[in-house]
């Protein structure tokens, strides 16, 4: 069975500092990996994805994520956090080698950026 | 930028009643999905739909649930006889046919069963 883990319920960072939101996964075969962000009373907004190729992927609003196959991780990063980045972040995955399209989600990490 | 839309934003119903949640996927997308998120829990997959039939469903998606694309734009989730434990946020998503099928989500419908 496949699974996604986000080990931190909350991450606190000062504005202007770099941020990392952690994600690890478990799947048989290769993964497709995604990050979504949820602002209050809004839906899940797509940020970025890893499909294949370069392990560092860049997405919306200056976010990037690094795929590490040996550590089965896909951590979300941003060099300089903004207060407006404060939101709930979800890592998700589907297996690339199956016909299944259902996404498996992590439990979410709340990012709080302090001014 | 095209978006997935969902109506209503909040639905309150009595236990045992039928509810229909509505979604308008992005217009050129061909795959449609429903997920739910019970308060404080993970987002869970319910069902995917392609070419007018269910292509995949989870254990949650039992006989109480059904999906339909009644016309060229709407995609609906029906719960026949709601239970208290159906209270959740329900998200609709859609994706294009090719590639890794990035799923784009709507804002959700909060269903409260009393």
């Amino acid at each position: 069975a496949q699974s996604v883990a986000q080990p931190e319920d909350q991450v606190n960072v000062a504005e202007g500092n770099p941020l990392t939101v952690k994600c690890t996964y478990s799947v048989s075969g290769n993964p497709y990996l995604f990050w979504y962000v949820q602002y209050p009373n809004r839906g899940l907004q797509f940020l970025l994805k890893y499909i294949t190729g370069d392990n560092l992927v860049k997405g919306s609003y200056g976010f990037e994520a690094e795929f590490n196959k040996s550590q089965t991780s896909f951590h979300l990063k941003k060099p300089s956090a903004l207060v407006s980045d404060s939101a709930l972040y979800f890592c998700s995955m589907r297996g690339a080698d199956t016909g299944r399209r259902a996404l498996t989600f992590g439990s979410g990490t709340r990012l709080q950026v302090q001014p | 930028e095209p978006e997935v839309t969902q109506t209503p934003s909040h639905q309150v119903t009595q236990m045992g009643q039928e509810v229909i949640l509505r979604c308008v996927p992005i217009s050129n997308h061909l795959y449609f999905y429903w997920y739910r998120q019970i308060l404080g829990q993970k987002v869970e997959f319910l069902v995917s739909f392609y070419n007018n039939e269910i292509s995949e469903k989870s254990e949650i998606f039992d006989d109480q649930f059904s999906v339909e694309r009644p016309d060229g734009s709407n995609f609906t989730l029906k719960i026949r006889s709601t239970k208290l434990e159906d209270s959740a946020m329900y998200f609709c998503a859609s994706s294009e046919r090719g590639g890794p099928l990035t799923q784009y989500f709507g804002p959700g419908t909060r269903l409260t069963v009393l």
Side-chain angles (χ1 to χ4, degrees):
Chain A
Q2 58 190 39
S3 64
V4 175
Q6 292 181 244
E8 301 155 317
D9 290 336
Q10 181 155 326
V11 169
N12 297 305
V13 64
E15 187 175 30
N17 283 359
L19 69 88
T20 299
V21 182
K22 295 179 181 177
C23 171
T24 59
Y25 67 90
S26 174
V27 68
S28 176
N30 296 304
Y32 290 151
L33 293 155
F34 305 85
W35 275 101
Y36 289 88
V37 59
Q38 186 178 32
Y39 296 99
N41 301 315
R42 301 287 296 276
L44 299 168
Q45 186 174 342
F46 170 71
L47 273 182
L48 51 77
K49 65 188 177 197
Y50 171 81
I51 305 303
T52 187
D54 194 349
N55 289 341
L56 184 66
V57 293
K58 295 184 184 296
S60 307
Y61 312 119
F63 284 94
E64 56 190 30
E66 186 167 11
F67 172 65
N68 187 317
K69 188 170 185 176
S70 63
Q71 296 186 1
T72 61
S73 67
F74 188 56
H75 300 332
L76 181 70
K77 300 180 180 184
K78 187 173 182 181
S80 178
L82 300 172
V83 172
S84 57
D85 293 329
S86 298
L88 189 56
Y89 290 81
F90 290 95
C91 181
S92 66
M93 175 193 68
R94 59 179 278 257
D97 305 322
T98 73
R100 298 185 68 239
R101 293 175 178 83
L103 291 176
T104 298
F105 281 84
S107 54
T109 298
R110 186 164 301 281
L111 174 65
Q112 192 70 41
V113 181
Q114 284 110 11
Chain B
E1 185 175 329
E3 292 183 334
V4 176
T5 59
Q6 291 185 242
T7 54
S9 57
H10 192 188
Q11 174 92 45
V12 181
T13 189
Q14 296 291 327
M15 189 170 55
Q17 295 296 304
E18 173 183 288
V19 295
I20 297 177
L21 309 183
R22 291 181 168 80
C23 168
V24 178
I26 295 172
S27 63
N28 64 336
H29 286 186
L30 298 177
Y31 284 95
F32 314 114
Y33 313 83
W34 284 101
Y35 291 78
R36 78 173 185 190
Q37 184 181 29
I38 295 172
L39 189 62
Q41 298 187 22
K42 292 185 179 184
V43 177
E44 302 172 291
F45 169 77
L46 293 178
V47 66
S48 65
F49 191 85
Y50 170 72
N51 199 25
N52 283 320
E53 60 183 24
I54 291 173
S55 53
E56 189 179 350
K57 62 182 181 178
S58 71
E59 293 177 350
I60 303 168
F61 194 87
D62 61 20
D63 292 344
Q64 290 288 80
F65 292 90
S66 63
V67 290
E68 189 179 29
R69 188 156 165 81
D71 53 42
S73 60
N74 290 283
F75 180 52
T76 62
L77 174 70
K78 181 193 290 186
I79 309 175
R80 289 189 181 81
S81 179
T82 50
K83 305 170 190 169
L84 295 176
E85 54 265 36
D86 293 327
S87 294
M89 180 72 88
Y90 287 81
F91 292 107
C92 174
S94 68
S95 63
E96 297 174 301
R97 179 181 179 185
L101 304 177
T102 301
Q103 296 177 27
Y104 295 91
F105 285 76
T109 293
R110 179 162 298 285
L111 176 65
T112 302
V113 182
L114 302 176

